[in-house]
Amino acid sequence: MKDSIMPKQGFETLAVHSGPGHDPVTGATSPAIHQSSSYVFRDSQHAADVFALKEPGYIYSRVTNPTVAALEQKLAELEGGVGATCTASGLASNLLAFSVLMDAGDEFVATTKLYGGTAGQFRDTFQRSYGWKCHSVDPTRPEEFKAKINERTKLLFIESLSNPEGVIADIEAYARIAESAGIPLIVDNTVATPYLCRPFEFGADLVVHSTTKYFSGHGQAMGGAVVDGGSFDWMKHASKFPVMTTEGNGGYRGTTFAKDFAGMPFAIASHAVGLRDLGMNQQPMNAYLTMLGMETLPLRMKQHCENAVKIAAFLSQHKAVKSVSFAGLPASPYYGLAQKYMRNGWASGLFTFDLAGGYDAALKLVKNAKLFTHLANIGDTRSLMIHPASTTHAQMTDVQKTAAGCGPGVVRVSVGIETAEDLIEDLNQALAHA
Ligand code: PLP
């Protein structure tokens, strides 16, 4: 663990006080919503200088916006990174990060245990539209990652705690492989959140998020982010990452991101080139709502995690349930990794369980649950439930579904912050139908 990036204050304090703080002019404690597309220049020299990245400043909200910048600062501080770039959604953050690092024809290696939407993005659109080839590898066998790396490989991608199965990645093992190959390790930290796990402390280089989930926490705002850990040595691997390391690449004459913005090079490049050209910027209203949610992130996460432990224990004893995939239970093969990488060995509020009655039983359970809302989201204050095989993972083949932990009888729950006993009672009555 790197001492230099350990937080100086407790996470609960950071959740409230991180970011720019109160407005120095008005004294307002709540972040202002800058619902403005563009910003007035002082004069022609000022305009030319901010366009040329010679002076920091706001030009146009596709690239930077003060409310979004406040969220970026808050996210970077909570993750222990040096900067962040917010996007319209979590999947947009993958596209943003990859677009800075990859050229057409490049390759990357990812685990098979990924959110279904990410797996589809990697398998379909990234390959078809951008020519980026994904090699998928079982996360329990990090050595297989090595075998897939070649001179065109530009990054490794894992989820710290996977959606939906709750598989916990051995982040340090992946960080070592990435380092020896001279490529960055990108960790999707959506399900764990920095309250449970801070991947930079274990050697990750970039962290991506769907802020749609636990950060906003109330199911009201879409968003994503790429957080720059600031420690990857881009110049050491200069030929692999031309946008970061070649003067003028990305269209800024006289600028080399890795040299000229050495403090937070990826965060600057991903705004100045990525957001500028791809335009998946986050809206200020969503940034505002997400910041409100973040202030209570630790309180909510604690309740999500404690509830999930109780509910998973109940389900693992129920006769209609064949198995429970939850790293917070001692019987889980990922329990040891949870103890190492997650605060208190908690495993967030998301997990799956497999019903003995298969596909039909799973649909009956979803139909009869009353407190668990049937919808396709996670990380909300309310408890949520879905049948992945017929919804989020429906586009996959049966083999791919099973590899992703979404076989026919599998149900995914995102445990909310309600009273655990009420949730257990609801599941008990719904299971009687399954
Ligand atoms: N990463 C993970 C782990 C997710 O669970 C999700 C969505 O469920 C995403 C990324 C994509 O996020 P978004 O829906 O905000 O694009």
Side-chain angles (χ1 to χ4, degrees), residues 89-92 115 118 159 163 188 190-191 210 212-213 222-223 378:
S89 69
L91 284 195
Y115 160 61
T118 303
E159 288 181 10
N163 175 5
D188 182 333
T190 299
V191 179
S210 166
T212 317
K213 317 300 180 198
M222 297 291 299
I378 61 168

Side-chain angles (χ1 to χ4, degrees), residues 144-230:
E144 286 191 9
F145 269 69
K146 277 189 206 155
K148 299 288 182 192
I149 294 173
N150 61 49
E151 71 286 352
R152 299 241 37 181
T153 310
K154 295 295 173 68
L155 60 95
L156 298 190
F157 186 98
I158 61 172
E159 288 181 10
S160 49
L161 205 170
S162 77
N163 175 5
E165 263 185 298
V167 171
I168 293 181
D170 188 350
I171 302 172
E172 281 182 338
Y174 290 110
R176 277 194 299 274
I177 295 169
E179 192 176 13
S180 65
I183 55 177
L185 171 66
I186 303 185
V187 178
D188 182 333
N189 201 31
T190 299
V191 179
T193 80
Y195 176 67
L196 293 183
C197 174
R198 302 203 331 152
F200 295 137
E201 291 169 5
F202 301 105
D205 300 295
L206 299 172
V207 165
V208 290
H209 273 285
S210 166
T211 60
T212 317
K213 317 300 180 198
Y214 292 104
F215 276 127
S216 90
H218 301 80
Q220 82 305 42
M222 297 291 299
V226 186
V227 188
D228 182 358

Side-chain angles (χ1 to χ4, degrees), residues 56 98 109 254 370 385:
F98 283 45
V109 190
K370 294 186 171 66
M385 179 183 274

Side-chain angles (χ1 to χ4, degrees), residues 16 53 104-105 110 168-169 208 214 221 226 233 244 258 294 297 319 331-332 356 363 366 378 381 392 407 411 414 418:
V16 175
L53 305 181
I168 293 181
V208 290
Y214 292 104
V226 186
D233 190 344
M244 297 298 299
M294 285 165 78
L297 177 73
K319 61 179 186 329
S332 164
L363 292 185
V366 171
I378 61 168
T381 50
T392 53
V411 173
S414 171
E418 304 97 326

